[in-house]
Amino acid sequence: MFLASSPYFQQRFSSSSYLLTHFPAYITSISTVTSLASVTVLTRLQRSASYPQRIVASLCLNIVDFTLLAMSTILFRSISPQGYFGFLMLIVFTASLATGLCQNGVFAYVSGFGVPEYTQAIMTGQAIAGVLPCIAQIVSVLSVPESDAPRPGAPAQNSKSAFAYFLTATTVSLITLLAFLYLLRSRSDGSRTVETAQGLDNAQEEQAERKVVSLWSLLKKLRYMSMAVFLCFAVTMFFPIFTQEILSVRPHGTAPRLFHPSCFIPLAFLLWNTGDLVGRLLTAIPHLTLVRWPRVLFLLSVLRLIFIPLYLLCNVRGRGATINSDAFYLIIVQFLFGLTNGYIGSSCMMGAGKWVEKEELEAAGSFMGLMLMGGLTVGSLMSFLAA
């Protein structure tokens, strides 16, 4: 969400070479460390957990965060890069708390039903959430005329397009909150105690019966699945750093506007997220899933390391590309890297429930969410090496 709007942030930080170079690494590191810390704490609070309440709280935080971020494109134009950086990091921190609440709540809540297809649907929904902001960013940039006098060294990006982009995120979060509240009110399935509108405050019976499972016990049962999803997302966190630094090989003066940095960077994110979405959809086909072969999933996670040197063959920071082709970068590197992330990540999250007892399903879902966030955190910290 934040890194898809890198061109706008590059403009805001253009007068500070350090912030211009390192802000993506700061965003990913603060985001993933905060999310991991919150998910770790929430995972240990199993007995008293109210997963729907966690989901609702996360959506409310997102609405506030992205509303403030949208307002900042209009009201905070004169502050220094360092001042705006501090504001942005605060927004990233609170948004990451929301991510931790949502990640823990959604995976635990859905895993409790014991239906792998529900988890696959959540993973697919997350991928769609990655695709839509990129489309919104590209449309918002193309819909606004380029600045007549962009700052040297920074891509042209009008604050109006950034405002529309962040306001879209606010709107989507609000719609999601209303839809989830409607789901809680309308669901009347008696096969499982559900915290509906009347039960959000009095789900003590379900909470009292919930089995508390140690993380070590879950790790022993899900060692290959958990390590596969951990490594998969750790490797994945290198892609945002490279994506915001790689430019089109076409000369800026003659290239279509879509290949200017303000559009090309979101386009690259779009290709990666589209591949991620396709990979998650593939797991819905029973004959294409590997949920029963956790060792194979772990091996595939290791093999994804090959994508990191492939980025170095592209036009990093405009220094020239070893393979002088935007198609190579967008399709072979971005799309396939996203495809493998979506396929392996979804397969691991879906397959976890097949290796634990029925009463451990919720805990297993929460644990796998923790390992996913752990991989994102380690990957984001290692991404400083590539920044």
Side-chain angles (χ1 to χ4, degrees), residues 4 173 176 314 317 347:
S173 298
T176 304
C314 303
R317 299 176 183 173
S347 296

Side-chain angles (χ1 to χ4, degrees), residues 319-349:
R319 298 170 181 170
T322 304
I323 299 180
N324 195 41
S325 170
D326 288 333
F328 170 79
Y329 167 56
L330 294 174
I331 305 300
I332 303 301
V333 181
Q334 287 292 86
F335 183 82
L336 291 184
F337 197 25
L339 180 74
T340 55
N341 179 79
Y343 180 78
I344 296 172
S346 291
S347 296
C348 292
M349 299 302 292

Side-chain angles (χ1 to χ4, degrees), residues 41-119:
V41 173
L42 293 170
T43 300
R44 299 182 68 86
L45 301 176
Q46 298 176 30
R47 188 179 299 278
S48 60
S50 175
Y51 296 118
Q53 285 184 346
R54 294 178 180 181
I55 297 170
V56 170
S58 71
L59 293 171
C60 291
L61 277 175
N62 276 336
I63 292 171
V64 173
D65 284 342
F66 290 119
T67 299
L68 291 174
L69 201 54
M71 293 172 60
S72 73
T73 64
I74 299 175
L75 302 179
F76 302 155
R77 297 294 301 168
S78 60
I79 67 174
S80 66
Q82 291 76 16
Y84 188 76
F85 178 77
F87 166 77
L88 179 60
M89 292 303 103
L90 179 61
I91 293 294
V92 171
F93 174 77
T94 53
S96 301
L97 288 178
T99 299
L101 285 166
C102 189
Q103 192 90 344
N104 174 266
V106 167
F107 282 119
Y109 185 66
V110 170
S111 297
F113 293 97
V115 182
E117 288 75 15
Y118 291 178
T119 302

Side-chain angles (χ1 to χ4, degrees), residues 211 213-227 291 294 351-361 364 367-368:
K211 178 181 178 180
V213 187
S214 70
L215 298 182
W216 177 248
S217 174
L218 292 170
L219 178 62
K220 290 192 292 184
K221 293 184 178 182
L222 301 171
R223 55 187 179 277
Y224 288 109
M225 285 287 190
S226 61
M227 291 307 299
V291 296
K354 295 184 178 295
W355 302 91
V356 298
E357 303 297 329
K358 183 177 180 180
E359 61 271 17
E360 298 174 335
L361 288 173
F367 171 72
M368 290 296 288

